[in-house]
Amino acid sequence: MRIVLLGAPGSGKGTQGKQLSEKYHIPQISTGDLLRAAVAAESPLGLRAKAAMDAGQLVSDDIVLGMIEERLAQPDSKDGFILDGFPRNIPQAEALDLLLMRIGKPLQASLLMDVDFDLLMQRLTGRRTCESCSQVFNVYTSPSKLEGRCDSCGGNLRHRGDDREETIENRLKVYEAQTAPLVEYYRGQSKLRTVEAIGEIADIFNSICGLLDAVHEEELQRAKDVPAEVEAIAAAVTEKLSEATGEKPMKKAAKKKATPKKKAAAKKKPVTKKKVVAKKKVATKKKAAAKKKVVAKKKVATKKKVAKKKVATKKKAAKKKVATKKKVAKKKVATKKKAVKKKVATKKKAAKKKVATKKKAVKKKVATKKKAAKKKVATKKKAAKKKVATKKKVAKKKVATKKKAAKKKVVKKKVAAKKKVAKKKVATKKKAAKKKVVKKKVAAKKKAAPKKKAAKKKAAKKKK
C-alpha cells in the first residue's frame, strides 16, 4: 500500500501510522524524522537542510522531496509506504505526485483522519505528560488515578506549553488554511478515503484496514478488467486487419481461378485453328468451332460472376462475424463493468453502513466516556474537596488544641508566678514577723538586763 496520512494535530495519525506499518510491513515515513536523521548523518541533503535551519529559514520542498526519494529507494519500501507529515499544501502534493510517477510508485490512497474540533481541543488541552517516564494521560478521556501523579511511576504530570489552548488554536488555524485544501485535491483524484477517528484506537484501526482492503480489491479488479478490455480491442483490431488484408488475397485467388480458364480457352483456340488448317474441313466445322468459342466465353463469364458473388458473400459473412464479435465483446465488457460497478456500489453501501453504524457506536461510546469522565472528575473533585475540608478541620482542631495548650501553659505560668509571689510575700512576712519577735526579744532582754544585774547584785549582797 502507498498511503498519505492527512489529519489535524491530535487526530491520531502517528498512532494509527505505527499500527498500519506493523500490519502491512511497510515503513512509516515522517519528514521530521527524515530531516533529523539526514542532519545527524551529515548527508549532502542533510547539510543543506542544516544550513537553512541555522539561517532561520524553512527547509525547501526540493530538499524534503530529495530525502523522500532517497528513503523510497530503500528495500523496505518496495511493497509500499506511509507518508506522515507531508505534503502540507497543494504545491507539495503536486510535486510529490510527479516524483512518485517518475519512480513508478504512484499513490493508492490518501487517508483522512476526521475528528471534531471540540474533541481535538479536548484531546490536546487535556493532555498531561509524566516528567519521569513520559507516559501520556488525558484529564477528559484517560485521567490518572491520582490527580497530578503518574499511575506507572508516581512522577509529576506536566501540562506542556504547546498543549495550551491558545497554541493549539493557532496550530489548528494553520492546518485549516494550508493542509485542509489537500482534501479536495485528493478527492478530485478519487484517492481520498475518510475515517471517523473517534472512539477506541482498535476500532478506528479496524475501520481504516477495511477502507484500505477495499482500495486493494478495487485495484485488483481494475487489473483483471484491463486485460479483458485489451483482448477485446486486440481481437477487434486483428479482425479489421484480417478483413482489410483478406480482401486482396480473395480477389487474387478469384483472378487466379479465372486465369486458368482463359488459358484453357486460349489453348482451345489454337487447337481449333490447327484442326481447321491441318484438315481443312468444311465451313460447317468452322461454324462449330466459332460456336464452341462463344460457349467457352459464356462459361468463363458465368464462372467470374459466381466467383465475384462468392467473394461478396465471404466479405459480408466476415463483416457480420466481426460485427457480432464486436457486439459480443462490447456486451461482455459492458456486463463486466456493470458487475464491477454493482460490486463497488454494494461495497460502498456496505462500507457506508458500517461507517454509519460505527459512527453511532463511537458517538455513544464517546458520550458514555464523557459522562463517565465527567462523573470521575466530579467524584475526584468531591473527594478532593472532602479531603481539603477534613484537612482544614484537622488543622483547625490542631490549632485549637495548640491554642488551648498554650493558654493552659500561660495560665499555669501565671498561677505559678502568683504562687511564687505569694510564697515570697508569705516568706517576707514571716521573716519580718520573726525579725519583730527577735527585736522584741532583744528589746525585752535589753530591758531585763539591768534588772537582772540589779537582782544579781541584790542577791550577791544578800549572800554576803
Side-chain angles (χ1 to χ4, degrees), residues 44-231:
L45 289 171
L47 293 173
R48 285 174 61 191
K50 188 175 184 300
M53 288 188 286
D54 291 342
Q57 298 172 353
L58 291 172
V59 179
S60 66
D61 292 346
D62 293 337
I63 296 172
V64 177
L65 287 165
M67 291 179 182
I68 290 171
E69 186 173 2
E70 285 182 353
R71 181 67 184 84
L72 294 180
Q74 294 180 15
D76 63 342
S77 63
K78 68 176 181 178
D79 294 328
F81 53 83
I82 302 163
L83 279 177
D84 180 8
F86 192 90
R88 293 179 183 272
N89 51 51
I90 290 175
Q92 288 180 352
E94 291 171 345
L96 179 65
D97 282 344
L98 290 172
L99 167 65
L100 296 177
M101 288 295 289
R102 181 165 54 80
I103 63 176
K105 295 180 178 180
L107 279 180
Q108 291 174 290
S110 174
L111 187 63
L112 174 64
M113 309 282 288
D114 194 19
V115 187
D116 185 57
F117 181 84
D118 294 333
L119 189 57
L120 281 174
M121 292 297 290
Q122 261 193 7
R123 284 184 182 178
L124 294 170
T125 57
R127 189 160 55 184
R128 300 291 185 271
T129 310
C130 178
E131 291 179 344
S132 302
C133 67
S134 300
Q135 188 171 345
V136 179
F137 297 88
N138 193 293
V139 295
Y140 300 109
T141 56
S142 57
S144 60
K145 293 176 183 177
L146 294 170
E147 192 173 356
R149 291 287 173 188
C150 177
D151 293 345
S152 300
C153 67
N156 187 35
L157 296 181
R158 180 171 60 91
H159 193 198
R160 296 190 322 187
D162 56 350
D163 288 339
R164 305 284 178 191
E165 191 169 349
E166 294 175 359
T167 310
I168 290 162
E169 282 183 357
N170 289 331
R171 287 168 68 192
L172 292 175
K173 282 177 184 176
V174 170
Y175 169 77
E176 287 293 330
Q178 293 184 2
T179 310
L182 286 173
V183 173
E184 295 303 321
Y185 176 79
Y186 286 116
R187 184 179 279 121
Q189 295 182 353
S190 300
K191 292 178 181 177
L192 185 71
R193 300 291 182 275
T194 306
V195 62
E196 291 290 331
I198 302 168
E200 293 293 332
I201 293 171
D203 295 337
I204 297 167
F205 179 69
N206 290 333
S207 59
I208 290 171
C209 291
L211 289 173
L212 294 179
D213 290 341
V215 170
H216 187 60
E217 285 178 10
E218 285 175 13
E219 287 214 347
L220 289 175
Q221 190 62 44
R222 279 196 214 103
K224 287 179 183 176
D225 290 342
V226 167
E229 290 176 4
V230 169
E231 282 177 10

Side-chain angles (χ1 to χ4, degrees), residues 379-390:
T379 51
K380 283 183 178 180
K381 283 182 179 178
K382 286 179 181 179
K385 285 179 180 178
K386 284 181 180 179
K387 283 181 182 179
V388 170
T390 51

Side-chain angles (χ1 to χ4, degrees), residues 194 196 207 211 350-360:
T194 306
E196 291 290 331
S207 59
L211 289 173
K352 283 180 181 179
K353 284 181 180 179
K354 283 182 181 179
V355 169
T357 51
K358 283 181 180 179
K359 279 183 181 179
K360 287 179 181 178

Side-chain angles (χ1 to χ4, degrees), residues 265-327:
K267 282 179 182 177
K268 283 178 185 178
K269 284 179 184 179
V271 169
T272 54
K273 283 179 183 179
K274 282 178 183 178
K275 284 179 181 178
V276 172
V277 174
K279 293 180 180 179
K280 292 180 182 180
K281 287 183 178 181
V282 197
T284 55
K285 287 182 180 180
K286 286 182 180 179
K287 287 178 182 178
K291 283 180 181 179
K292 282 180 182 179
K293 284 181 183 178
V294 171
V295 170
K297 284 180 181 179
K298 284 181 179 179
K299 284 181 179 179
V300 169
T302 52
K303 284 181 179 180
K304 281 183 179 179
K305 285 180 182 178
V306 170
K308 283 180 181 179
K309 283 181 181 179
K310 283 182 180 179
V311 169
T313 52
K314 283 181 180 180
K315 282 183 181 179
K316 285 179 181 179
K319 284 180 181 179
K320 283 181 180 179
K321 283 181 181 179
V322 170
T324 52
K325 283 182 180 179
K326 282 182 180 179
K327 285 180 181 178

